[in-house]
Amino acid sequence: MRARAFTLIELLVVIAIIAILAAILFPVFVEAKATAKQTVCLSNAKQIGMGSHLYAADEDDRMPAWATRVPSVNGGNSDYFPPDLQLMPYIKSDAVWSCPSDTNPRRDPNGMPWWDGRYKTLRLKRSYSYVGPIYTKQANGSDDNTGVYRFLKKSSWDTTGRSTSELSEPSATIAYVEQYSPSVDDQYVGSVWGSGFIDCDTSKLAGRVKPARGPIDLPPPGCGSAYNQKTTPGHRSKGNYVFSDGHAGIKTWEAVRRNDFFVFKVVKPSLSFDP
């Protein structure tokens, strides 16, 4: 007996059902993919935090410098030793410096400063930046009470890492931020460019809304023009952060902006600020 063929109406019904199922399931798949990327990025941040913690333990409880001077290796063209490579003896893979959500294109590496010449050809994206002095309302500009490293001279890149004993609350002080704003295209593992998070770089953090919806999105003094640039996409408008005690977590913009960037301050002030 011959099998009965589907009628046109039956085929259309099947197609409609498939389309409905796809419409329902596609957002679920997208959400699952985004969650997986967020998990990998947070895992990377935790490894960076652990590496930094181990580094400090070996260096009399002193955090890495940002751009300490060390003779270059493997044909490098710069003696500025970037923080990512300072931590490499304590981290399993240099791939942890790249977040899978970081799709921001990078510039041609030719002409950039490289401490280790091998990384010029590897072209590994770096998605995390090391926190130095930033601008705050309390300081009315650059705040020496922020950042886990400080400049030895304002006119140079020479820096020194802070002793962990300087931090009044290491578990509440951010050392590394997830940062791949579209306005930055020079963040490569092995090059000091783009490795520091200083001055008005808070404008690049995930979750800030532009135009400002209220005081929480307004810039500190001196950062007005910087706050016109685009922010890091992050993960559902949140970013991963590494704290000075080695732990990592995902935070909203409001959490890191509140009380005048309280989580970036070395000695936590008793004064409160709005926002």
Side-chain angles (χ1 to χ4, degrees):
M1 183 173 64
R2 290 168 54 187
R4 185 177 69 86
F6 285 108
T7 66
L8 179 59
I9 296 298
E10 289 171 331
L11 286 173
L12 290 176
V13 169
V14 171
I15 292 172
I17 292 173
I18 293 173
I20 292 170
L21 290 174
I24 294 172
L25 295 176
F26 182 74
V28 175
F29 292 145
V30 171
E31 184 74 8
K33 185 176 181 180
T35 300
K37 288 182 177 180
Q38 175 184 320
T39 301
V40 172
C41 197
L42 180 58
S43 175
N44 289 348
K46 289 179 178 178
Q47 291 185 62
I48 292 170
M50 182 58 66
S52 187
H53 187 68
L54 293 173
Y55 175 99
D58 282 348
E59 296 293 333
D60 296 324
D61 291 325
R62 185 170 293 278
M63 300 290 286
W66 167 49
T68 187
R69 293 284 188 91
V70 177
S72 61
V73 298
N74 298 319
N77 61 351
S78 171
D79 62 354
Y80 281 112
F81 191 19
D84 45 24
L85 296 190
Q86 292 179 52
L87 295 188
M88 283 311 300
Y90 306 94
I91 295 177
K92 293 181 180 179
S93 169
D94 46 24
V96 304
W97 292 98
S98 181
C99 175
S101 297
D102 182 358
T103 58
N104 190 39
R106 302 301 200 263
R107 71 173 64 179
D108 188 323
N110 291 314
M112 291 180 58
W114 298 91
W115 180 78
D116 185 339
R118 295 184 305 112
Y119 285 91
K120 180 179 179 180
T121 56
L122 292 175
R123 302 190 181 194
L124 300 175
K125 289 183 178 181
R126 183 181 56 242
S127 309
Y128 308 89
S129 299
Y130 191 37
V131 178
I134 62 170
Y135 280 38
T136 68
K137 183 177 182 179
Q138 183 179 17
N140 197 36
S142 183
D143 192 340
D144 290 335
N145 187 41
T146 56
V148 292
Y149 66 86
R150 59 175 181 267
F151 288 86
L152 296 175
K153 294 180 180 179
K154 290 287 186 180
S155 59
S156 76
W157 282 7
D158 295 325
T159 64
T160 183
R162 291 186 185 272
S163 169
T164 56
S165 62
E166 295 180 59
L167 310 177
S168 60
E169 298 180 34
S171 63
T173 306
I174 293 174
Y176 295 86
V177 303
E178 181 182 354
Q179 196 279 105
Y180 39 92
S181 165
S183 62
V184 181
D185 64 357
D186 59 0
Q187 294 172 291
Y188 286 106
V189 176
S191 174
V192 72
W193 281 5
S195 62
F197 182 82
I198 60 173
D199 297 340
C200 298
D201 284 344
T202 50
S203 63
K204 303 169 185 174
L205 296 177
R208 181 177 63 85
V209 175
K210 185 176 76 71
R213 67 202 142 167
I216 198 70
D217 297 311
L218 295 177
C223 292
S225 59
Y227 271 56
N228 291 325
Q229 63 188 354
K230 294 182 179 179
T231 63
T232 296
H235 312 276
R236 303 174 185 86
S237 298
K238 298 178 183 179
N240 287 308
Y241 295 88
V242 179
F243 289 80
S244 299
D245 68 342
H247 87 276
I250 188 164
K251 301 292 181 183
T252 63
W253 160 254
E254 291 82 1
V256 297
R257 176 66 177 99
R258 70 173 184 83
N259 198 4
D260 197 33
F261 298 111
F262 184 84
V263 288
F264 291 101
K265 294 187 177 181
V266 176
V267 177
K268 305 305 182 188
S270 58
L271 298 174
S272 295
F273 296 87
D274 183 25

